[in-house]
Amino acid sequence: MGRYVVRRLLQMIPVFIGSTFIIFMMMYALPGDPVRALWGERAPDEAQMAAIKADLGLDDPILLQYWNYLVGLVQGDFGTQIQSRREVIDVISDALPATLRLTALAFLITAVVGIGLGLLAGLRAGKKTDRGILFLSLLLISVPVFVIGYLYQTYPGVKWGWITPTVRDSENWGELLLPALALASLSLAYVMRLTRSTIVENRRADYMRTARAKGLPQRRVVGNHLLRNSLIPVVTFLGVDLGNLMAGAIVTEGIFNINGIGRTVYEALNAREGATVVGVVSFIIIVYLVIALLVDLLYAVLDPRIRYA
């Protein structure tokens, strides 16, 4: 197990470098000068512009800038904003708690409701319950997240008055419920369908017939044998999707007025704060890679036949 973890950690290095290099080049290839934007409509002071660029290292060749960025990342430095001169890690720290709460609630809804409805549909394959759940999943897949978000905001929030249409306090889990439902809608549909498919497939497996032949109770057959083996592909999807939920929160946070990572990226793109965008994306990439490793290790817990050398 230890050698496998070390090998996976070493494999993460080129993936991380390649991903951050692409987003770094994309941001700094955009037209316009972010330092020039500090003066707005006024004529810029060329000497001050040169001094700011030299201070931030923006006058270095692009590859040298990227190398300096990687060196800073190793030391925990995600860069510095151009306009506010704040450290990007401080910007992330301020915005991250709201996004983490929203993502955690959306992930909980996706996992619990998605697996529960998928299991119900798989156990009742071909019946009305199964068809109803499949129709619901198809509906959630077909409707874009921003449309679902506005529907949730308009009807339960504005017309029916069940909950505030915008989030005024991101620490209030009740106010985050509607945004989390909107954020989780697409993932919820995929988890439902994936769980249903694996349940239907594994119900016909030999080990299921053996378990029933032993006279085991239905609850034990489903819980210890059917569900546990069917969860392996679902856990894979959920692990990768956790990073997708964090990255996809930009739309949901904009609709429901949540000051999180998504809004930070949106505002940084408008202001052409490349360091902020690259820093946030680098953080999300790290989350992706760590979760992928944890998911692989979790396989051995779900299936004792899996062993890592």
Side-chain angles (χ1 to χ4, degrees):
M1 177 72 76
R3 286 183 296 177
Y4 173 79
V5 173
V6 172
R7 188 166 64 250
R8 282 298 307 274
L9 291 174
L10 292 176
Q11 291 173 351
M12 289 180 182
I13 296 176
V15 174
F16 178 77
I17 292 176
S19 303
T20 53
F21 180 77
I22 291 173
I23 189 64
F24 191 91
M25 293 301 174
M26 289 176 60
M27 286 306 305
Y28 286 90
L30 292 177
D33 188 343
V35 178
R36 168 65 180 82
L38 293 174
W39 277 263
E41 298 297 329
R42 297 177 290 113
D45 186 310
E46 297 296 334
Q48 290 185 6
M49 283 182 59
I52 293 174
K53 289 184 177 181
D55 182 46
L56 296 176
L58 297 178
D59 55 351
D60 295 329
I62 187 67
L63 292 180
L64 179 58
Q65 290 185 45
Y66 178 67
W67 171 255
N68 292 333
Y69 177 72
L70 286 182
V71 173
L73 277 181
V74 175
Q75 301 171 356
D77 181 8
F78 282 74
T80 305
Q81 285 191 329
I82 296 175
Q83 296 185 5
S84 65
R85 294 300 183 94
R86 292 184 65 196
E87 295 292 327
V88 174
I89 189 63
D90 294 333
V91 177
I92 295 176
S93 299
D94 291 342
L96 186 61
T99 299
L100 287 180
R101 284 189 288 268
L102 176 62
T103 303
L105 188 55
F107 182 80
L108 183 64
I109 293 172
T110 299
V112 175
V113 179
I115 293 176
L117 291 179
L119 174 62
L120 181 61
L123 294 177
R124 296 180 177 272
K127 299 181 180 179
K128 291 183 179 180
T129 303
D130 179 33
R131 289 192 290 269
I133 293 175
L134 288 177
F135 174 78
L136 175 62
S137 66
L138 184 61
L139 182 65
L140 293 176
I141 292 174
S142 303
V143 181
V145 174
F146 66 88
V147 175
I148 292 178
Y150 279 119
L151 289 176
Y152 287 167
Q153 190 179 49
T154 300
Y155 289 96
V158 177
K159 292 190 175 182
W160 301 337
W162 292 352
I163 197 169
T164 55
T166 59
V167 176
R168 293 173 294 186
D169 180 11
S170 62
E171 296 184 0
N172 188 327
W173 291 91
E175 292 188 11
L176 290 176
L177 181 59
L178 281 183
L181 283 171
L183 179 60
S185 58
L186 182 60
S187 302
L188 176 62
Y190 284 127
V191 169
M192 287 162 52
R193 297 179 72 89
L194 183 58
T195 304
R196 187 256 183 198
S197 298
T198 55
I199 290 293
V200 171
E201 180 181 354
N202 288 329
R203 283 182 67 186
R204 301 190 294 265
D206 292 338
Y207 66 86
M208 288 296 296
R209 287 193 290 269
T210 302
R212 295 191 188 96
K214 289 181 178 180
L216 296 177
Q218 178 69 9
R219 179 179 300 180
R220 187 174 177 184
V221 171
V222 173
N224 289 4
H225 297 277
L226 179 60
L227 185 59
R228 186 172 180 178
N229 286 280
S230 301
L231 280 181
I232 293 179
V234 179
V235 167
T236 302
F237 176 84
L238 287 174
V240 175
D241 190 60
L242 185 56
N244 290 333
L245 290 174
M246 288 188 62
I250 181 172
V251 176
T252 308
E253 290 179 358
I255 295 173
F256 291 92
N257 193 36
I258 302 173
N259 293 319
I261 290 292
R263 170 162 290 193
T264 299
V265 172
Y266 176 76
E267 294 175 350
L269 285 171
N270 284 336
R272 205 183 176 282
E273 285 281 0
T276 304
V277 176
V278 175
V280 172
V281 172
S282 298
F283 176 80
I284 294 177
I285 291 172
I286 293 173
V287 172
Y288 258 104
L289 294 175
V290 172
I291 291 176
L293 175 61
L294 294 178
V295 168
D296 285 348
L297 298 179
L298 187 59
Y299 285 164
V301 177
L302 294 174
D303 190 344
R305 297 171 297 178
I306 298 177
R307 289 291 180 267
Y308 296 115

